[in-house]
Amino acid sequence: MEETNPKFKVDICTSIRHLCEIFTSKALSVRQYHVASVLCQRAKVAMSHFEPNDYIRFDLLEKNINIVRKRLNRPLTLSEKIVYGHLDDPANQEIERGKTYLRLRPDRVAMQDATAQMAMLQFISSGLPKVAVPSTIHCDHLIEAQLGGEKDLRRAKDINQEVYNFLATAGAKYGVGFWRPGSGIIHQIILENYAYPGVLLIGTDSHTPNGGGLGGICIGVGGADAVDVMAGIPWELKCPKVIGVKLTGSLSGWTSPKDVILKVAGILTVKGGTGAIVEYHGPGIDSISCTGMATICNMGAEIGATTSVFPYNHRMKKYLNKTGRADIAILADEFKDHLVPDPGCHYDQLIEINLSELKPHINGPFTPDLAHPVAEVGTVAEKEGWPVDIRVGLIGSCTNSSYEDMGRSAAVAKQALAHGLKCKSQFTITPGSEQIRATIERDGYAQILRDVGGIVLANACGPCIGQWDRKDIKKGEKNTIVTSYNRNFTGRNDANPETHAFVTSPEIVTALAIAGTLKFNPETDFLTGKDGKKFKLEAPDVDELPRAEFDPGQDTYQHPPKDSSGQRVDVSPTSQRLQLLEPFDKWDGKDLEDLQILIKVKGKCTTDHISAAGPWLKFRGHLDNISNNLLIGAINIENGKANSVRNAVTQEFGPVPDTARYYKKNGIRWVVIGDENYGEGSSREHAALEPRHLGGRAIITKSFARIHETNLKKQGLLPLTFADPADYNKIHPVDKLTIQGLKDFAPGKPLKCIIKHPNGTQETILLNHTFNETQIEWFRAGSALNRMKELQQ
């Protein structure tokens, strides 16, 4: 028997122990016999490449759940089962939703190449010899869309050779698997290889929740959190609340899984899921494919949710079988009671959606929670003055690049071709992985999409994250694009603030690209064929998985060697792409006196505004260089401009990074004032590293996005919130702030802020925080990494 998936193995020790327990029991059920047979076969083929850390522990999950269930004495949600099932100390951990901090033991870590650079640089700084849990690096962010798949990939390998070499050698040195450029988007690779029902996986990308489509709790984090887990330290997470979304009815016609999350985003908004796991349940889930469930979970990041998850069902089993993991499906069947919610479990909020009544949606522009039915968006666009002509349609991304997604788009395109039509708009296609690319090439989907006018891009993030060398418009030109992506903030895709980006399903993108206008509704409207006859597109109906086996395509995985003693990881001191880290300074034991306000931000400030992506991705491994993009997209309330702030010493307006560097050089410590949900969007910890590197000490806002708040704490900064949100209006960019109470810094105890106005008057306000004792130690040590080193001494 051949090993079908050498990158994901059952713990042989666990398997053998399980077999012993089975064969010493008095009776052997059919299921037990089946499980025992599979595990015996698995043990035979896996011994040659077994690694102690690469395992699946359903038995430990069950043990921990049983401990917690007895303590809480109530029905558990699925989210609670998986999260509490990974507690470091289930017998003694204090558990209260929304309040206590849980200490968890994740099963696995995944990092994309842009964030992996800083994560691995931090891990190297820790001085540890090997990662303590299975970890992987995925090269997907640094490939710019320009000419097409193969050409763009070759160009990326040449431009990014230094970075790829660093990641490959660091992975080999420290025991981290390495997926080479061209392998695909991190979340699709995780779904195909690593996610499974009941797993707790953390990833250094905000869309890690994609794995919830396969029944796992998969959470996006910053690189410092990943370092903790890779170092074998229990990982902290505030005990999540649980939002239930009950699905009834069934999907049909033009309505797709994407429409479920577009609808939910419209209900909850970009911060409605903050501090909570969104748990889907109900009879409607059976009408959604596994990859469709992944789409829904993926875009849950846009509502601020900790993650999203679906219960284990036959659609997941079908996907596991098709991706070479039938043994995991068998184990999941055995432990399935722990992979679904208990009857009668309590949700902190409950939303009900009837899938039979749900209509196709399109969200945008400029924010992913502005929801419109497709039938109405054209009218709304005309009323609002948004361009209705579509310049480009783009399908793919980590949200919608599965075999089913590509098939549904191809089915729409095939109908247009049959009537002699091609896309009126430009059209691009991004396969989710090398396996998806190879399979859609074999099955003809890729050629159909090319024939209708599409360009197949590399298996990478591309335009979704701003890696798009767009040539059809000039910056500042007002235009509309439609995508099957997840995020549509201002300038997100092409760095043009006048691009109106709309998010919808791949099949709706394809239909709209063929029609060329937002005013087209494929459910009711007709197209005119080349012969002059009118016709209506039929809703796509295709297989969710290929009938034949997936074509794996090229082998793009590098397994870490068993002996890495001779492996070197070099970082040139003159490199412009990579820079070894220097420890941040420790807290000096004093209150923060007379902090200068670097910028008071007006309105939405995402991590794209704080640390832009696109062309800046090349500096993700060089902290000083990438700090030149600090807050360049944030709007200064003083003048309504981006990247223009007053230097308090010279009184001249200049770029934000230059002003921060001036303050740092002259020993002036500073603070940022922000609005609601500050730091929403990507998990990028550079948005926390940069202000720390350039002399920042605190970020004071009305509220924070979860990941960004944690990232700030990890780097020794103070993320603080106004006890009274109206106090935001009391602070002016020319004021100075003093933060008092740090000597008695304690959980739940507000800090005092004295606002010093230029005219000599003062006001005192209170600032709240969410620090616990461990996180306060990070602040005192100067960063979580500093604290880790202290504990090793």
Side-chain angles (χ1 to χ4, degrees), residues 188-204:
Q188 184 67 30
I189 297 293
I190 289 171
L191 201 70
E192 293 173 353
N193 295 273
Y194 302 125
Y196 62 88
V199 71
L200 176 59
L201 180 151
I202 68 166
T204 60

Side-chain angles (χ1 to χ4, degrees), residues 77 80 97-98 240-244 275-277 346-350:
T77 68
E80 291 182 303
R97 287 188 199 171
K241 294 184 177 181
V242 188
I243 297 173
I277 293 175
H346 170 70
Y347 294 105
D348 296 284
Q349 180 180 352
L350 184 63

Side-chain angles (χ1 to χ4, degrees), residues 166-178:
F166 166 73
L167 293 174
T169 55
K173 179 70 174 178
Y174 296 103
V176 178
F178 180 69

Side-chain angles (χ1 to χ4, degrees), residues 202-203 530 689:
I202 68 166
K530 191 175 181 179
L689 282 160

Side-chain angles (χ1 to χ4, degrees), residues 346-540:
H346 170 70
Y347 294 105
D348 296 284
Q349 180 180 352
L350 184 63
I351 297 169
E352 295 193 33
I353 297 176
N354 185 338
L355 300 180
S356 298
E357 297 175 355
L358 185 64
K359 289 293 186 180
H361 272 64
I362 182 167
N363 287 21
F366 306 125
T367 184
D369 59 347
L370 185 56
H372 320 275
V374 171
E376 300 173 9
V377 70
T379 301
V380 174
E382 287 186 322
K383 180 180 177 181
E384 297 292 335
W386 304 331
V388 295
D389 291 338
I390 298 168
R391 297 294 290 268
V392 191
L394 306 99
I395 66 169
S397 84
C398 62
T399 318
N400 278 110
S401 55
S402 68
Y403 182 84
E404 180 182 30
D405 290 328
M406 298 292 116
R408 286 175 70 87
S409 291
V412 174
K414 190 173 182 179
Q415 296 177 60
L417 290 169
H419 289 84
L421 297 186
K422 290 190 175 186
C423 291
K424 289 185 178 179
S425 310
Q426 292 184 38
F427 186 45
T428 70
I429 302 98
T430 305
S433 68
E434 170 61 9
Q435 179 165 274
I436 295 297
R437 183 208 62 78
T439 306
I440 66 171
E441 288 286 1
R442 181 198 68 193
D443 293 354
Y445 291 167
Q447 191 55 51
I448 292 171
L449 295 171
R450 287 192 193 96
D451 290 344
V452 84
I455 298 174
V456 178
L457 301 174
N459 315 321
C461 299
C464 183
I465 60 161
Q467 284 284 54
W468 184 15
D469 186 18
R470 189 177 180 189
K471 301 293 189 184
D472 65 299
I473 61 163
K474 295 178 180 179
K475 190 169 184 179
E477 183 179 344
K478 198 173 180 180
N479 74 105
T480 284
I481 65 174
V482 292
T483 81
S484 70
Y485 303 163
N486 43 47
R487 200 163 277 166
N488 60 346
F489 303 139
T490 302
R492 165 79 177 183
N493 304 121
D494 60 2
N496 178 15
E498 290 299 327
T499 292
H500 294 56
F502 293 83
V503 177
T504 185
S505 67
E507 54 265 47
I508 294 293
V509 171
T510 307
L512 293 179
I514 292 166
T517 175
L518 284 177
K519 297 175 70 174
F520 179 71
N521 177 11
E523 287 192 303
T524 59
D525 295 344
F526 288 79
L527 294 169
T528 302
K530 191 175 181 179
D531 58 4
K533 295 180 180 178
K534 292 187 178 297
F535 72 98
K536 194 167 77 168
L537 294 170
E538 297 295 327

